[in-house]
Amino acid sequence: AGGADNTNVVQVTVGAAAVNTVTLRANPGSVGPAGGSVELTATVIGADGQLLPGVVVTFGTDQGSVSAPAVTTNASGESRTTLTTSQQAIVQATAGVTTSSSVTVTVRSGPAVTISCAPASGTGNCAAVQADRTSNTAAVVFTITKPAGSSTLRTATIDFGDGNAQSLGNLAGGTATSTRIYSGPSGSTGTTYTATVQVTDINGETASASTVVIVTPKVVPTPIN
């Protein structure tokens, strides 16, 4: 009898040994300023480009945690898990001895805003703005600022605290001013108003800042006897 004939032997590689490539993606690619969760999807591909089901994929991260560290690929060659983190995280997926390229999940900058107030004429702040003797009103100027490094805004609105509000657009220029005329008190006690600016960024995150305006009574002339 002759030796074994290996001419027609076909080598079939199955399971993790068949893995040629692992790709990884995060959706979305970032979390909010307070942290959050993203979905990680690993796709396992064989040497001939076929999608491989039934392969265990392990997920690793240097920050935060994954809901399921090991997940078997489905019929489409995909396995999914959830990453939760409050810091920038670098994640990878491994099937067999093949590891994906690293994916970085970033932390988005949040919205921020500041507001200051000054009398429309004169100097000082708005802690004691005296009402005009004739009109019994006081004019003040608010300066609203979007700090450098904060996220891009969609809207900004100031509520003057007297039942009125004004849109400030998206503060694309970084700073806006708004003048408001407040009514003075009718008695001897000052009237207090709280002006609040509220902003919403392009990711739906919000921030606000407030300042107090106190309008003091107008000067009443002393009668001449």
Side-chain angles (χ1 to χ4, degrees):
D5 184 358
N6 293 327
T7 303
N8 296 319
V9 172
V10 177
Q11 183 176 359
V12 178
T13 306
V14 296
V19 176
N20 182 67
T21 306
V22 179
T23 63
L24 178 64
R25 64 182 185 274
N27 183 34
S30 63
V31 295
S37 298
V38 301
E39 183 182 63
L40 301 177
T41 302
T43 303
V44 180
I45 305 170
D48 296 327
Q50 75 275 25
L51 299 173
L52 299 179
V55 177
V56 176
V57 176
T58 57
F59 295 87
T61 178
D62 68 340
Q63 299 292 340
S65 61
V66 290
S67 59
V71 183
T72 302
T73 56
N74 59 20
S76 299
E78 293 182 340
S79 59
R80 293 184 173 86
T81 191
T82 300
L83 167 73
T84 301
T85 183
S86 59
Q87 302 179 65
Q88 178 173 293
I90 299 175
V91 294
Q92 289 181 315
T94 300
V97 296
T98 305
T99 300
S100 69
S101 298
S102 297
V103 172
T104 301
V105 177
T106 59
V107 178
R108 300 188 301 270
S109 298
V113 68
T114 64
I115 182 172
S116 61
C117 179
S121 60
T123 59
N125 56 38
C126 293
V129 186
Q130 191 171 62
D132 179 78
R133 176 177 172 179
T134 302
S135 63
N136 195 31
T137 60
V140 301
V141 178
F142 296 104
T143 300
I144 301 94
T145 303
K146 172 187 173 298
S150 58
S151 57
T152 301
L153 300 181
R154 181 182 294 126
T155 60
T157 303
I158 181 171
D159 182 332
F160 295 109
D162 62 355
N164 295 280
Q166 177 188 349
S167 171
L168 302 170
N170 61 4
L171 298 181
T175 301
T177 59
S178 179
T179 300
R180 187 65 188 164
I181 298 176
Y182 286 104
S183 297
S186 57
S188 59
T189 303
T191 301
T192 300
Y193 302 91
T194 301
T196 302
V197 58
Q198 173 113 14
V199 298
T200 302
D201 72 3
I202 57 175
N203 298 305
E205 304 281 350
T206 61
S208 63
S210 299
T211 189
V212 171
V213 179
I214 300 176
V215 181
T216 59
K218 64 182 180 180
V219 174
V220 177
T222 303
I224 299 176
N225 295 325

